[in-house]
Amino acid sequence: MAAAQHEAKFTFSYVDRPFGPLAHKETVELLKKWTMFDSMRVTTFKFDQKFSAFELNDFLKDMFNSAEVLSYFETLVTVRGHWSAMGGQPGECEKVKYSDVSCTATSMEFFDRLYECEALRRNGSIVGCIPEYLDNGFVINQELGKVMLMDDSDHYDTFSKIDRNELIFKIFQHLTLGGPLNQYEDDIGPYFDTTKLFYKSLISVAKNPKTQKVQVTSIGCEIKSVDGRSSLFPQEDHPQNFLYAVVNPTKREVALWYHAWCG
């Protein structure tokens, strides 16, 4: 007996509005320097119903069964920079594989520990190290890169597993690792500034009426695969392949932040 077809609760419409950081001249220049700009997109959609966190699974299925999303959300299909709409037919997606991403950080003080572990000097310069060449194409020549990527390094545990699942950490990690021809920064400033700009543009915040403290109201996840889609990326299994969905329940918008490794 055939499974009952999922009835969509959410409908989506494309938001024709540039994502702030990708329209910011200085940020665009940095992303080009880090060879990420041409392989990155942020696509935003509005949805029409009230959203609660427990509905995320159905929300994602509805999103990838939406004709609007399938028409406007694009991925890279070749490492040479050919973008194409996701395509397919509404109703074909029965499962979206994803993992939850925390959105609780409210301050860049989250990264102060990088000074304490001496990956950064107090003047903001990044401490160098003997280059290490990794199988995934990275050349790690800074202590910062070891903290971000090398789990056998002395200071990898500066950030716990829970810390590393924070959206703000993931943004920072992706930006500092960069693309295949990345020109690394010698000073932390550009990384911090760009991380802050992306994070503020992706999330929404509100003041908790009980505590009077600012808290993040967005719900985040990292999408691993979409049923009925052979691949989201032109090359598989690279840490710089990512697709994050950040849901803003108040504005009823969802931002899809996509990047593919094209090395």
Side-chain angles (χ1 to χ4, degrees), residues 5-260:
Q5 187 173 3
H6 169 71
E7 184 176 344
K9 171 183 176 180
F10 300 94
T11 58
F12 297 83
S13 58
Y14 173 66
V15 177
D16 187 10
R17 180 183 70 225
F19 180 67
L22 298 184
H24 184 257
K25 182 179 178 182
E26 289 78 6
T27 303
V28 168
E29 290 304 313
L30 285 170
L31 291 171
K32 288 180 177 179
K33 180 181 179 182
W34 304 334
T35 58
M36 297 185 76
F37 181 74
D38 291 331
S39 49
M40 180 186 294
R41 295 271 174 94
V42 178
T43 312
T44 304
F45 297 92
K46 278 193 167 294
F47 53 92
D48 65 342
Q49 296 290 330
K50 183 179 179 181
F51 169 85
S52 298
F54 72 87
E55 298 176 293
L56 183 58
N57 184 61
D58 286 342
F59 178 90
L60 294 175
K61 284 196 294 184
D62 287 354
M63 183 170 67
F64 287 111
N65 278 314
S66 163
E68 191 88 348
V69 174
L70 296 175
S71 297
Y72 282 98
F73 174 63
E74 295 187 334
T75 62
L76 275 169
V77 293
T78 72
V79 296
R80 297 185 179 274
H82 176 62
W83 292 84
S84 178
M86 196 169 197
Q89 296 297 318
E92 287 183 341
C93 175
E94 296 182 358
K95 182 179 179 181
V96 178
K97 184 179 179 181
Y98 69 94
S99 59
D100 294 325
V101 173
S102 299
C103 302
T104 65
T106 57
S107 168
M108 291 297 290
E109 291 177 1
F110 181 88
F111 296 107
D112 284 355
R113 67 196 85 177
L114 289 170
Y115 296 98
E116 297 163 10
C117 76
E118 299 183 345
L120 304 178
R121 297 184 179 91
R122 287 297 167 183
N123 65 1
S125 62
I126 302 171
V127 177
C129 65
I130 297 172
E132 299 201 37
Y133 298 85
L134 307 186
D135 292 340
N136 51 25
F138 289 118
V139 179
I140 303 300
N141 57 12
Q142 297 174 327
E143 292 295 332
L144 179 62
K146 289 184 176 182
V147 175
M148 292 295 104
L149 197 61
M150 298 177 64
D151 58 9
D152 59 349
S153 68
D154 292 340
H155 300 298
Y156 184 82
D157 60 0
T158 298
F159 295 92
S160 68
K161 185 176 181 180
I162 292 174
D163 294 329
R164 290 172 181 273
N165 196 48
E166 285 284 344
L167 179 62
I168 198 169
F169 178 89
K170 291 180 177 294
I171 294 170
F172 180 77
Q173 182 182 45
H174 290 310
L175 295 177
T176 56
L177 293 176
L181 300 176
N182 182 23
Q183 299 176 57
Y184 291 100
E185 299 294 327
D186 296 320
D187 187 89
I188 197 63
Y191 294 133
F192 277 169
D193 291 345
T194 310
T195 296
K196 183 177 181 180
L197 189 59
F198 264 78
Y199 191 58
K200 288 180 66 176
S201 299
L202 285 169
I203 64 162
S204 55
V205 297
K207 186 175 287 187
N208 186 307
K210 293 183 179 179
T211 65
Q212 294 300 302
K213 292 183 178 180
V214 172
Q215 63 183 29
V216 180
T217 58
S218 299
I219 306 297
C221 68
E222 182 174 4
I223 296 166
K224 306 294 187 179
S225 64
V226 178
D227 188 52
R229 174 76 174 183
S230 58
S231 176
L232 294 170
F233 309 101
Q235 295 185 57
E236 291 295 327
D237 301 324
H238 196 279
Q240 289 295 76
N241 286 337
F242 58 82
L243 171 58
Y244 297 102
V246 183
V247 185
N248 181 335
T250 306
K251 291 184 178 179
R252 294 188 179 178
E253 289 186 353
V254 55
L256 299 178
W257 181 32
Y258 173 93
H259 178 268

